[in-house]
Amino acid sequence: MKSLVSILIPAYNAQEFLAATVTSALGQTWARKEVIIVNDGSRDETLNVARQFESPSVKVITHENQGAAATRNKALSLAQGEFIQWLDADDLLGSNKIACQMEAGVRCSRGTLLSSPWASFMYRRHRAKFRPTPLWEDLDPLEWMTRKMEHNLYMQTATWLVSRELTDAAGPWNKEMLGDDDGEYFGRVLMASHAVKFVQGSGVYYRIVPSTRLSHIGRDPRKMEAQLRSMEMNVGYLCSLEDSPRVRSACVTYLQNWLPSFYPERPDLVVRAQELALSLGGQLTPPRLTWKYAWIQKVFGWSAAKLSQTYYNRMKTSLGRGWDKAMFRLESKVQHVNAAQW
């Protein structure tokens, strides 16, 4: 008998996209699956949307708002599957994502972590472009984590398919992590794994949504602290695998790339990051702004320049999202009219 896969969907105020996400989960060509949706005290219609899908193979649970990590842990506690598929409530799985990984996994040990390609989109999934990175290969955990830090890369949460053995070895999601909780969690999963198998042919679609996601740090001091704590832990994970000049250099590069998240608002975190870099034989330098914002820094200071950059990027993304949404609705209307004519 084929293995059961548990698709776990934590949901918070996800009424707009949850139906599409659940549909992509149910549309998996891998037959033996269960879907578990945990509503984290949403204030919108998320729970009602989820309950429309309730069935013997789709469980819907709700609890008071406890945060993403606690909600994921609740979903995991209910899972019966031999493999775990994490799926955020606004992202989509390609129809053969799990099947491709499971078929590849047959030739691997349960200590192998399975990954897949991913692409970002807003509303129109067909416009998503898959752009390979140095992580899109079969790698050992040491090489995977080193490349991640060297090149400032990541894999989207839903790309992973995790065996029950690796899931148990990694332990629960850390409820103290208000930022980069997935980076810290999958750092532990990688530490427990023997290898990473990249499976071509499968795919994940990562939806770019407004900056209310856990992954957005912004100016939230708690998220800044959580981000640095996650980075410190991941540096520790990597250095425990190998303490070499290349690894140390990769860790310093990682710290340098993320320094703008704390600079200049949190000098205490900057000092912590600098101390860690020094312990690794490196040194951090003040972040540099592009020419568009450098003049603002000179006249009004770093904080004003950083704020300008944040608002500009937010406005640019908002305009792009608005355009994509309008085109999505237009294309949907045209398809509906064409279908009616036939």
Side-chain angles (χ1 to χ4, degrees):
M1 182 180 292
K2 291 186 175 182
S3 298
L4 176 68
V5 177
S6 296
I7 305 174
L8 309 184
I9 306 175
Y12 177 69
N13 289 350
Q15 64 178 21
E16 184 177 5
F17 303 120
L18 181 59
T21 296
V22 178
T23 298
S24 79
L26 294 175
Q28 291 300 294
T29 56
W30 187 259
R32 290 206 70 214
K33 56 184 177 288
E34 65 172 359
V35 178
I36 300 175
I37 308 166
V38 180
N39 173 50
D40 186 28
S42 297
R43 297 190 299 267
D44 62 4
E45 293 300 309
T46 293
L47 182 57
N48 290 332
V49 173
R51 283 179 170 159
Q52 294 174 13
F53 293 92
E54 211 162 11
S55 71
S57 62
V58 180
K59 298 185 182 73
V60 178
I61 309 297
T62 188
H63 63 197
E64 292 183 0
N65 182 255
Q66 299 178 33
T71 303
R72 288 179 172 125
N73 287 336
K74 179 64 176 180
L76 182 58
S77 73
L78 301 170
Q80 301 296 312
E82 298 165 68
F83 286 84
I84 304 298
Q85 169 67 64
W86 297 101
L87 180 60
D88 287 346
D90 45 19
D91 298 329
L92 305 174
L93 301 176
S95 61
N96 64 342
K97 192 269 184 186
I98 291 175
C100 285
Q101 289 180 309
M102 289 298 292
E103 288 163 6
V106 170
R107 300 182 292 275
C108 306
S109 74
R110 289 295 183 94
T112 299
L113 182 57
L114 303 168
S115 69
S116 74
W118 66 278
S120 60
F121 77 113
M122 292 181 178
Y123 285 88
R124 293 179 292 170
R125 190 179 79 167
H126 65 85
R127 292 181 62 84
K129 294 182 180 180
F130 290 85
R131 295 182 172 89
T133 77
L135 298 181
W136 291 26
E137 297 180 24
D138 295 346
L139 301 168
D140 60 54
L142 170 62
E143 183 63 26
W144 196 97
M145 293 184 73
T146 304
R147 291 188 185 190
K148 169 190 172 177
M149 295 189 184
E150 284 178 331
H151 302 286
N152 196 28
L153 301 171
Y154 69 100
M155 292 294 274
Q156 202 275 335
T157 306
T159 59
W160 304 111
L161 187 64
V162 192
S163 70
R164 174 64 69 169
E165 289 82 355
L166 285 179
T167 299
D168 291 344
W173 290 70
N174 188 339
K175 292 186 287 186
E176 301 300 317
M177 288 293 163
L178 298 179
D180 197 33
D181 62 331
D182 54 342
E184 188 279 325
Y185 175 76
F186 282 105
R188 283 184 275 129
V189 176
L190 280 156
M191 287 289 293
S193 70
H194 302 146
V196 178
K197 176 69 176 177
F198 180 74
V199 183
Q200 290 282 7
S202 59
V204 168
Y205 297 86
Y206 172 51
R207 193 186 299 270
I208 304 299
V209 296
S211 56
T212 54
R213 297 184 73 128
L214 188 65
S215 57
H216 177 72
I217 300 173
R219 299 169 66 86
D220 188 326
R222 297 175 306 162
K223 288 189 175 183
M224 291 181 187
E225 291 175 11
Q227 178 67 40
L228 181 56
R229 180 59 185 143
S230 174
M231 293 170 64
E232 291 169 337
M233 294 172 76
N234 274 295
V235 166
Y237 297 153
L238 177 54
C239 289
S240 71
L241 294 176
E242 180 179 285
D243 188 9
S244 66
R246 182 191 173 203
V247 164
R248 285 172 168 257
S249 176
C251 292
V252 173
T253 298
Y254 177 51
L255 292 167
Q256 183 69 58
N257 283 332
W258 281 89
L259 190 62
S261 298
F262 327 115
Y263 188 94
E265 295 89 350
R266 292 294 303 272
D268 57 322
L269 301 186
V270 173
V271 169
R272 271 173 56 185
Q274 182 68 275
E275 289 176 348
L276 180 54
L278 290 171
S279 74
L280 294 165
Q283 186 169 357
L284 304 183
T285 59
R288 297 181 63 182
L289 292 166
T290 61
W291 65 269
K292 285 190 293 186
Y293 307 102
W295 70 270
I296 300 177
Q297 176 200 354
K298 292 178 180 179
V299 177
F300 300 104
W302 239 101
S303 293
K306 186 175 178 180
L307 193 61
S308 298
Q309 185 180 43
T310 299
Y311 283 134
Y312 172 78
N313 290 336
R314 190 176 298 172
M315 180 182 67
K316 182 179 178 181
T317 301
S318 179
L319 290 172
R321 185 182 300 109
W323 171 259
D324 201 57
K325 185 175 184 178
M327 294 303 296
F328 172 76
R329 288 177 171 175
L330 178 61
E331 290 176 6
S332 298
K333 186 177 294 185
V334 170
Q335 291 174 0
H336 179 74
V337 170
N338 290 340
Q341 290 177 344
W342 283 96

